[in-house]
Amino acid sequence: MSKPIKESKSKGNDNLLIRAFHQYLRLLHERPVVTKAATNAVVSGLGNIISQYLAPDPTAKGRINWKSVFAYISFGFFVNGPLIHHFYAFLEKLFPKDTPNAKWKKVLFDRLIFAPPFLLIFLYYVSIVEGHGNKGAVKRIKDTYWMILKLNLSVWSIVQYINMNYVPLKFRTVFGNFCALIWMIFISIKRRQMSS
């Protein structure tokens, strides 16, 4: 008698996940910028919380630093999500598929033109919102920027090649978000280690 109940619960959970996925796809189609911004905010905040568990901030005395979580969430929602959505669309117009070497041109443009200033803005914004002020933000950038940029260029070049050339345009920001979860954890840990 208990077996059918378990099966129906499992099917109910499956249906719930399927419905949630279809709802997400609908929102991606109807409100792409807001949906990608919200997804980015959630992933960024989650990545920061996980990083705080893995590499605790000594000044937080074992508690979650909610300023830091808010900094990552707000950057994800107001900057990263919308900007990346429009950036991918811009790249498709700049380098259409029929352009010679379009696959490589998109990746090189992203890695060499877009990524360096974007990473700089990210590091500055997060430091300011965390409450470190201009001097603190500049110091953190000096301490971490080149190391993070070099790692970003090596690791994300592969991810971006796959993303820009094999993932459909409407899913690129989402794909990047989930790859960024691990990256956000790494950046948070490195920033904390190098500034402590």
Short mmCIF file of all heavy atoms in Angstrom, two decimals, residues 74-116:
data_model
loop_
_atom_site.label_atom_id
_atom_site.label_comp_id
_atom_site.label_asym_id
_atom_site.label_seq_id
_atom_site.Cartn_x
_atom_site.Cartn_y
_atom_site.Cartn_z
N SER A 74 23.36 42.09 -5.80
CA SER A 74 23.01 43.33 -6.51
C SER A 74 23.82 43.49 -7.79
O SER A 74 23.29 43.94 -8.81
CB SER A 74 23.19 44.55 -5.59
OG SER A 74 24.53 44.70 -5.20
N PHE A 75 25.10 43.09 -7.76
CA PHE A 75 25.88 43.14 -8.99
C PHE A 75 25.28 42.20 -10.04
O PHE A 75 25.14 42.56 -11.21
CB PHE A 75 27.35 42.78 -8.74
CG PHE A 75 28.20 42.94 -9.96
CD1 PHE A 75 28.72 44.18 -10.30
CD2 PHE A 75 28.50 41.86 -10.79
CE1 PHE A 75 29.50 44.35 -11.44
CE2 PHE A 75 29.27 42.02 -11.92
CZ PHE A 75 29.78 43.27 -12.25
N GLY A 76 24.91 41.00 -9.61
CA GLY A 76 24.30 40.04 -10.53
C GLY A 76 23.02 40.55 -11.15
O GLY A 76 22.79 40.41 -12.34
N PHE A 77 22.19 41.19 -10.31
CA PHE A 77 20.88 41.63 -10.80
C PHE A 77 20.97 42.90 -11.64
O PHE A 77 20.39 42.99 -12.72
CB PHE A 77 19.91 41.85 -9.63
CG PHE A 77 18.51 42.13 -10.08
CD1 PHE A 77 17.67 41.09 -10.45
CD2 PHE A 77 18.03 43.43 -10.18
CE1 PHE A 77 16.38 41.33 -10.90
CE2 PHE A 77 16.74 43.69 -10.62
CZ PHE A 77 15.92 42.64 -10.98
N PHE A 78 21.69 43.90 -11.14
CA PHE A 78 21.69 45.21 -11.80
C PHE A 78 22.74 45.36 -12.90
O PHE A 78 22.57 46.17 -13.81
CB PHE A 78 21.88 46.33 -10.76
CG PHE A 78 20.73 46.46 -9.83
CD1 PHE A 78 20.88 46.15 -8.49
CD2 PHE A 78 19.48 46.85 -10.28
CE1 PHE A 78 19.80 46.26 -7.61
CE2 PHE A 78 18.40 46.96 -9.42
CZ PHE A 78 18.57 46.66 -8.07
N VAL A 79 23.82 44.60 -12.81
CA VAL A 79 24.90 44.78 -13.78
C VAL A 79 25.09 43.53 -14.64
O VAL A 79 24.89 43.56 -15.86
CB VAL A 79 26.24 45.16 -13.08
CG1 VAL A 79 27.34 45.39 -14.12
CG2 VAL A 79 26.07 46.38 -12.20
N ASN A 80 25.49 42.44 -14.02
CA ASN A 80 25.91 41.26 -14.77
C ASN A 80 24.80 40.67 -15.64
O ASN A 80 25.01 40.44 -16.83
CB ASN A 80 26.46 40.21 -13.80
CG ASN A 80 27.32 39.18 -14.50
OD1 ASN A 80 27.90 39.43 -15.54
ND2 ASN A 80 27.40 38.01 -13.91
N GLY A 81 23.64 40.38 -15.05
CA GLY A 81 22.56 39.75 -15.82
C GLY A 81 22.17 40.56 -17.05
O GLY A 81 22.23 40.06 -18.19
N PRO A 82 21.77 41.84 -16.88
CA PRO A 82 21.38 42.64 -18.05
C PRO A 82 22.52 42.87 -19.03
O PRO A 82 22.33 42.77 -20.25
CB PRO A 82 20.92 43.97 -17.44
CG PRO A 82 20.58 43.65 -16.03
CD PRO A 82 21.50 42.54 -15.61
N LEU A 83 23.71 43.19 -18.52
CA LEU A 83 24.85 43.49 -19.39
C LEU A 83 25.23 42.28 -20.25
O LEU A 83 25.43 42.41 -21.46
CB LEU A 83 26.04 43.95 -18.56
CG LEU A 83 27.29 44.34 -19.35
CD1 LEU A 83 27.02 45.52 -20.26
CD2 LEU A 83 28.43 44.66 -18.40
N ILE A 84 25.31 41.12 -19.64
CA ILE A 84 25.71 39.92 -20.39
C ILE A 84 24.65 39.54 -21.42
O ILE A 84 24.98 39.13 -22.54
CB ILE A 84 26.00 38.74 -19.42
CG1 ILE A 84 27.17 39.08 -18.49
CG2 ILE A 84 26.27 37.45 -20.17
CD1 ILE A 84 28.48 39.35 -19.19
N HIS A 85 23.37 39.70 -21.07
CA HIS A 85 22.29 39.44 -22.05
C HIS A 85 22.51 40.28 -23.31
O HIS A 85 22.49 39.76 -24.42
CB HIS A 85 20.94 39.77 -21.42
CG HIS A 85 19.83 39.86 -22.41
ND1 HIS A 85 19.18 38.75 -22.89
CD2 HIS A 85 19.27 40.93 -23.05
CE1 HIS A 85 18.26 39.13 -23.77
NE2 HIS A 85 18.30 40.44 -23.88
N HIS A 86 22.73 41.58 -23.12
CA HIS A 86 22.90 42.47 -24.27
C HIS A 86 24.26 42.25 -24.97
O HIS A 86 24.35 42.38 -26.19
CB HIS A 86 22.76 43.93 -23.84
CG HIS A 86 21.35 44.26 -23.42
ND1 HIS A 86 20.28 44.22 -24.28
CD2 HIS A 86 20.85 44.61 -22.21
CE1 HIS A 86 19.18 44.55 -23.64
NE2 HIS A 86 19.50 44.79 -22.38
N PHE A 87 25.26 41.89 -24.20
CA PHE A 87 26.58 41.64 -24.78
C PHE A 87 26.54 40.46 -25.75
O PHE A 87 27.08 40.53 -26.85
CB PHE A 87 27.61 41.39 -23.67
CG PHE A 87 28.97 41.03 -24.20
CD1 PHE A 87 29.74 41.95 -24.90
CD2 PHE A 87 29.49 39.75 -24.00
CE1 PHE A 87 30.99 41.62 -25.39
CE2 PHE A 87 30.74 39.42 -24.49
CZ PHE A 87 31.50 40.34 -25.18
N TYR A 88 25.89 39.37 -25.36
CA TYR A 88 25.81 38.20 -26.25
C TYR A 88 25.04 38.54 -27.53
O TYR A 88 25.42 38.11 -28.63
CB TYR A 88 25.16 37.01 -25.55
CG TYR A 88 26.05 36.34 -24.54
CD1 TYR A 88 25.52 35.81 -23.37
CD2 TYR A 88 27.41 36.21 -24.74
CE1 TYR A 88 26.33 35.18 -22.43
CE2 TYR A 88 28.23 35.58 -23.81
CZ TYR A 88 27.68 35.07 -22.66
OH TYR A 88 28.48 34.45 -21.75
N ALA A 89 23.97 39.31 -27.40
CA ALA A 89 23.21 39.72 -28.59
C ALA A 89 24.08 40.61 -29.49
O ALA A 89 24.06 40.47 -30.72
CB ALA A 89 21.94 40.45 -28.17
N PHE A 90 24.85 41.51 -28.88
CA PHE A 90 25.75 42.39 -29.63
C PHE A 90 26.80 41.57 -30.39
O PHE A 90 27.08 41.85 -31.56
CB PHE A 90 26.42 43.36 -28.65
CG PHE A 90 27.58 44.11 -29.24
CD1 PHE A 90 27.38 45.15 -30.13
CD2 PHE A 90 28.89 43.78 -28.90
CE1 PHE A 90 28.45 45.85 -30.68
CE2 PHE A 90 29.96 44.47 -29.44
CZ PHE A 90 29.74 45.51 -30.33
N LEU A 91 27.37 40.55 -29.74
CA LEU A 91 28.38 39.73 -30.40
C LEU A 91 27.82 39.00 -31.62
O LEU A 91 28.50 38.85 -32.63
CB LEU A 91 28.96 38.69 -29.43
CG LEU A 91 30.08 39.15 -28.52
CD1 LEU A 91 30.58 37.98 -27.67
CD2 LEU A 91 31.23 39.76 -29.28
N GLU A 92 26.56 38.56 -31.51
CA GLU A 92 25.93 37.87 -32.64
C GLU A 92 25.78 38.81 -33.83
O GLU A 92 25.91 38.39 -34.98
CB GLU A 92 24.56 37.30 -32.24
CG GLU A 92 24.66 36.09 -31.33
CD GLU A 92 25.49 34.97 -31.92
OE1 GLU A 92 25.20 34.51 -33.05
OE2 GLU A 92 26.45 34.53 -31.25
N LYS A 93 25.49 40.08 -33.57
CA LYS A 93 25.37 41.07 -34.66
C LYS A 93 26.74 41.46 -35.19
O LYS A 93 26.92 41.66 -36.39
CB LYS A 93 24.63 42.31 -34.16
CG LYS A 93 23.16 42.07 -33.93
CD LYS A 93 22.47 43.31 -33.42
CE LYS A 93 21.00 43.00 -33.14
NZ LYS A 93 20.34 44.06 -32.43
N LEU A 94 27.71 41.59 -34.29
CA LEU A 94 29.06 42.00 -34.69
C LEU A 94 29.75 40.93 -35.52
O LEU A 94 30.43 41.23 -36.51
CB LEU A 94 29.90 42.31 -33.44
CG LEU A 94 31.28 42.92 -33.66
CD1 LEU A 94 31.17 44.28 -34.33
CD2 LEU A 94 32.01 43.04 -32.33
N PHE A 95 29.57 39.66 -35.12
CA PHE A 95 30.20 38.54 -35.82
C PHE A 95 29.14 37.50 -36.18
O PHE A 95 29.02 36.47 -35.53
CB PHE A 95 31.28 37.89 -34.95
CG PHE A 95 32.35 38.82 -34.49
CD1 PHE A 95 32.48 39.13 -33.15
CD2 PHE A 95 33.22 39.42 -35.39
CE1 PHE A 95 33.48 40.00 -32.70
CE2 PHE A 95 34.21 40.28 -34.97
CZ PHE A 95 34.34 40.58 -33.62
N PRO A 96 28.35 37.76 -37.25
CA PRO A 96 27.36 36.76 -37.67
C PRO A 96 28.04 35.44 -38.04
O PRO A 96 29.25 35.41 -38.33
CB PRO A 96 26.69 37.39 -38.89
CG PRO A 96 27.08 38.83 -38.88
CD PRO A 96 28.36 38.93 -38.12
N LYS A 97 27.26 34.37 -38.06
CA LYS A 97 27.83 33.04 -38.32
C LYS A 97 28.58 32.95 -39.65
O LYS A 97 29.52 32.19 -39.78
CB LYS A 97 26.72 31.98 -38.29
CG LYS A 97 26.25 31.68 -36.91
CD LYS A 97 25.21 30.58 -36.91
CE LYS A 97 24.74 30.32 -35.50
NZ LYS A 97 23.73 29.31 -35.41
N ASP A 98 28.15 33.73 -40.64
CA ASP A 98 28.81 33.65 -41.95
C ASP A 98 30.12 34.45 -42.02
O ASP A 98 30.83 34.42 -43.02
CB ASP A 98 27.85 34.09 -43.06
CG ASP A 98 27.32 35.50 -42.87
OD1 ASP A 98 27.54 36.09 -41.79
OD2 ASP A 98 26.68 36.01 -43.80
N THR A 99 30.46 35.17 -40.93
CA THR A 99 31.74 35.90 -40.87
C THR A 99 32.88 34.88 -40.77
O THR A 99 32.80 33.94 -39.99
CB THR A 99 31.78 36.81 -39.62
OG1 THR A 99 30.66 37.67 -39.65
CG2 THR A 99 33.06 37.62 -39.57
N PRO A 100 33.95 35.05 -41.57
CA PRO A 100 35.08 34.12 -41.44
C PRO A 100 35.63 34.12 -40.01
O PRO A 100 35.80 35.17 -39.41
CB PRO A 100 36.12 34.68 -42.43
CG PRO A 100 35.34 35.51 -43.39
CD PRO A 100 34.16 36.04 -42.62
N ASN A 101 35.84 32.92 -39.50
CA ASN A 101 36.37 32.73 -38.13
C ASN A 101 35.51 33.38 -37.05
O ASN A 101 36.04 33.82 -36.02
CB ASN A 101 37.81 33.23 -38.03
CG ASN A 101 38.73 32.51 -38.97
OD1 ASN A 101 38.74 31.29 -39.02
ND2 ASN A 101 39.50 33.27 -39.74
N ALA A 102 34.20 33.44 -37.26
CA ALA A 102 33.30 34.08 -36.30
C ALA A 102 33.41 33.46 -34.92
O ALA A 102 33.38 34.17 -33.91
CB ALA A 102 31.86 34.00 -36.80
N LYS A 103 33.57 32.14 -34.85
CA LYS A 103 33.66 31.45 -33.56
C LYS A 103 34.81 32.00 -32.73
O LYS A 103 34.66 32.27 -31.54
CB LYS A 103 33.86 29.95 -33.76
CG LYS A 103 32.65 29.22 -34.26
CD LYS A 103 32.94 27.74 -34.40
CE LYS A 103 31.70 26.98 -34.82
NZ LYS A 103 31.91 25.54 -34.85
N TRP A 104 35.96 32.16 -33.37
CA TRP A 104 37.14 32.63 -32.65
C TRP A 104 37.09 34.13 -32.38
O TRP A 104 37.55 34.60 -31.34
CB TRP A 104 38.41 32.26 -33.42
CG TRP A 104 38.62 30.78 -33.42
CD1 TRP A 104 38.44 29.94 -34.47
CD2 TRP A 104 38.98 29.97 -32.31
NE1 TRP A 104 38.69 28.64 -34.09
CE2 TRP A 104 39.02 28.63 -32.76
CE3 TRP A 104 39.27 30.24 -30.97
CZ2 TRP A 104 39.35 27.57 -31.93
CZ3 TRP A 104 39.59 29.18 -30.14
CH2 TRP A 104 39.63 27.87 -30.61
N LYS A 105 36.54 34.89 -33.31
CA LYS A 105 36.45 36.33 -33.14
C LYS A 105 35.59 36.70 -31.93
O LYS A 105 35.93 37.62 -31.17
CB LYS A 105 35.92 36.99 -34.41
CG LYS A 105 36.94 37.02 -35.54
CD LYS A 105 36.36 37.62 -36.80
CE LYS A 105 37.39 37.61 -37.92
NZ LYS A 105 36.84 38.09 -39.19
N LYS A 106 34.46 35.98 -31.77
CA LYS A 106 33.59 36.25 -30.62
C LYS A 106 34.33 35.99 -29.31
O LYS A 106 34.26 36.80 -28.38
CB LYS A 106 32.33 35.37 -30.69
CG LYS A 106 31.32 35.84 -31.69
CD LYS A 106 30.02 35.09 -31.57
CE LYS A 106 30.09 33.81 -32.36
NZ LYS A 106 28.80 33.12 -32.46
N VAL A 107 35.02 34.88 -29.26
CA VAL A 107 35.75 34.52 -28.03
C VAL A 107 36.87 35.52 -27.76
O VAL A 107 37.04 35.98 -26.63
CB VAL A 107 36.28 33.07 -28.10
CG1 VAL A 107 37.15 32.75 -26.90
CG2 VAL A 107 35.13 32.08 -28.21
N LEU A 108 37.63 35.86 -28.80
CA LEU A 108 38.73 36.82 -28.61
C LEU A 108 38.22 38.20 -28.19
O LEU A 108 38.81 38.85 -27.32
CB LEU A 108 39.56 36.93 -29.89
CG LEU A 108 40.46 35.73 -30.19
CD1 LEU A 108 41.08 35.85 -31.57
CD2 LEU A 108 41.53 35.57 -29.12
N PHE A 109 37.11 38.63 -28.79
CA PHE A 109 36.53 39.91 -28.39
C PHE A 109 36.11 39.88 -26.93
O PHE A 109 36.39 40.80 -26.16
CB PHE A 109 35.32 40.24 -29.28
CG PHE A 109 34.80 41.64 -29.09
CD1 PHE A 109 35.25 42.67 -29.89
CD2 PHE A 109 33.85 41.92 -28.11
CE1 PHE A 109 34.77 43.96 -29.72
CE2 PHE A 109 33.38 43.21 -27.92
CZ PHE A 109 33.84 44.23 -28.73
N ASP A 110 35.45 38.80 -26.55
CA ASP A 110 35.02 38.65 -25.16
C ASP A 110 36.21 38.62 -24.20
O ASP A 110 36.24 39.32 -23.19
CB ASP A 110 34.20 37.37 -25.00
CG ASP A 110 33.89 37.07 -23.55
OD1 ASP A 110 33.16 37.85 -22.92
OD2 ASP A 110 34.42 36.06 -23.03
N ARG A 111 37.20 37.83 -24.52
CA ARG A 111 38.32 37.61 -23.61
C ARG A 111 39.26 38.81 -23.51
O ARG A 111 39.74 39.13 -22.44
CB ARG A 111 39.15 36.39 -24.05
CG ARG A 111 38.38 35.10 -24.20
CD ARG A 111 37.94 34.44 -22.88
NE ARG A 111 36.95 35.21 -22.15
CZ ARG A 111 36.95 35.40 -20.84
NH1 ARG A 111 37.87 34.90 -20.10
NH2 ARG A 111 36.00 36.08 -20.27
N LEU A 112 39.52 39.48 -24.65
CA LEU A 112 40.52 40.54 -24.67
C LEU A 112 39.95 41.96 -24.55
O LEU A 112 40.61 42.84 -24.01
CB LEU A 112 41.36 40.44 -25.94
CG LEU A 112 42.10 39.11 -26.13
CD1 LEU A 112 42.82 39.08 -27.46
CD2 LEU A 112 43.05 38.84 -24.97
N ILE A 113 38.73 42.17 -25.03
CA ILE A 113 38.14 43.51 -25.01
C ILE A 113 37.14 43.67 -23.85
O ILE A 113 37.16 44.67 -23.14
CB ILE A 113 37.41 43.82 -26.35
CG1 ILE A 113 38.33 43.59 -27.54
CG2 ILE A 113 36.81 45.23 -26.33
CD1 ILE A 113 39.53 44.50 -27.62
N PHE A 114 36.29 42.66 -23.66
CA PHE A 114 35.22 42.79 -22.68
C PHE A 114 35.63 42.37 -21.26
O PHE A 114 35.36 43.07 -20.29
CB PHE A 114 34.01 41.95 -23.13
CG PHE A 114 32.84 42.03 -22.21
CD1 PHE A 114 32.02 43.15 -22.19
CD2 PHE A 114 32.54 40.98 -21.34
CE1 PHE A 114 30.93 43.22 -21.33
CE2 PHE A 114 31.46 41.05 -20.48
CZ PHE A 114 30.64 42.18 -20.49
N ALA A 115 36.28 41.23 -21.12
CA ALA A 115 36.56 40.66 -19.79
C ALA A 115 37.43 41.55 -18.90
O ALA A 115 37.11 41.71 -17.72
CB ALA A 115 37.18 39.27 -19.93
N PRO A 116 38.53 42.14 -19.39
CA PRO A 116 39.38 42.92 -18.47
C PRO A 116 38.66 44.09 -17.78
O PRO A 116 38.69 44.18 -16.55
CB PRO A 116 40.54 43.39 -19.35
CG PRO A 116 40.63 42.34 -20.42
CD PRO A 116 39.19 41.96 -20.71
#
